[in-house]
Amino acid sequence: MSEITATTVKELRDRTNLPMMDCKKALVEAAGDMEKAILLLRERNKNVAVKRGERETAEGRIGTFVDLVNQVGAMVEVRCESPMVAKAEAFIQLANDLAKQVALMNPGSVDQLLTQPFLGDAKKTVKDRIDEAIGLIRENMRVARYTRLTGLLGEYVHHDGALGVILLVTGPKADPVLLRDVCTHIAALNPQYLNPAAIPAEVAEKEKAFAKQQAAEQSAGKPANIVEKIAEGRYRTWLEENALSQQPIANQIKYGKKSVGDLLKAAGLELKQFTRYKVGEIVTSETRVGPATQETQAASSDTACGVAQS
């Protein structure tokens, strides 16, 4: 039996990222054999993942990755059990690693993602990477959903990790700072549609009719053309509240009183689509999926991707 020293235990800890006491116990059972101890810990680590799999994962974090050179990016929502873990460096790194995996390896589904060789270590699968984090942090974790885009991209994740945005534009080239600022705007103002053309006809007609009704009720006795102009103004206000292209940019100190659409147009860019994730949100069936440049996958139907498109 090889001597089990503090240095040996630390070496096993460094190689597995598991607690020191677990590492020492495994080395004792393996009679000091490092490789055998690793196998024991891997088996127990799998058991930890299974044992914790039934616990609710209501907290979580958004991870993003954008490759500006190859024009590909992804956003992932990863769930965990507690707010404290959602802020842990190991969990933050996991979310970002998974976003990079989705962007560069283009899995066809969450299940396919889990079986892919992990980019950081081809000897492991993505599931192995997640199971290692589960064994280290001692909480259940799962990939709830992801979105993958190709083209000129911007991204933003709020400081608490609970809110994220990924944006696609078209044009000859794009300033990453400008696109990040637009993503920050989307995170804050939560537009429901990309532009007026993306609004379903029935929704637009309903809002126009409502605007006319309000104008008629509040402008009784005024000429019809005046009432019509008031109704048009009300509908325009509704568009500015709900369509991204029409919204005044949130950071007016930096950009002045311009709409998001006009700001991007001045830069030679056009809005194409965006996805906004908030951890734990339930997305309705009205959510629409974008064009062929995007791959969106959810682990279950109640965590579908929220996307606006042109």
Side-chain angles (χ1 to χ4, degrees), residues 3-17:
E3 183 182 1
I4 301 172
T5 64
T7 301
T8 307
V9 175
K10 184 179 183 301
E11 181 185 348
L12 182 57
R13 167 71 174 83
D14 291 341
R15 292 181 65 179
T16 63
N17 283 327

Side-chain angles (χ1 to χ4, degrees), residues 78-156:
V78 187
R79 298 280 186 89
C80 61
E81 296 174 30
S82 68
M84 184 176 296
V85 166
K87 298 175 183 177
E89 286 299 323
F91 188 72
I92 295 171
Q93 187 61 54
L94 174 65
N96 292 334
D97 284 350
L98 292 175
K100 183 177 181 179
Q101 180 84 26
V102 170
L104 300 184
M105 300 304 291
N106 192 18
S109 66
V110 171
D111 288 341
Q112 189 179 106
L113 167 66
L114 296 177
T115 62
Q116 286 184 334
F118 177 57
L119 279 174
D121 184 351
K123 295 179 181 179
K124 303 175 185 176
T125 65
V126 172
K127 184 180 184 302
D128 291 336
R129 172 71 176 88
I130 296 172
D131 286 350
E132 285 181 358
I134 291 172
L136 172 65
I137 299 177
R138 304 295 183 179
E139 277 199 8
N140 188 33
M141 303 168 193
R142 67 182 178 89
V143 178
R145 52 181 171 167
Y146 68 77
T147 295
R148 181 178 184 272
L149 295 172
T150 57
L152 294 176
L153 304 176
E155 57 80 29
Y156 168 76

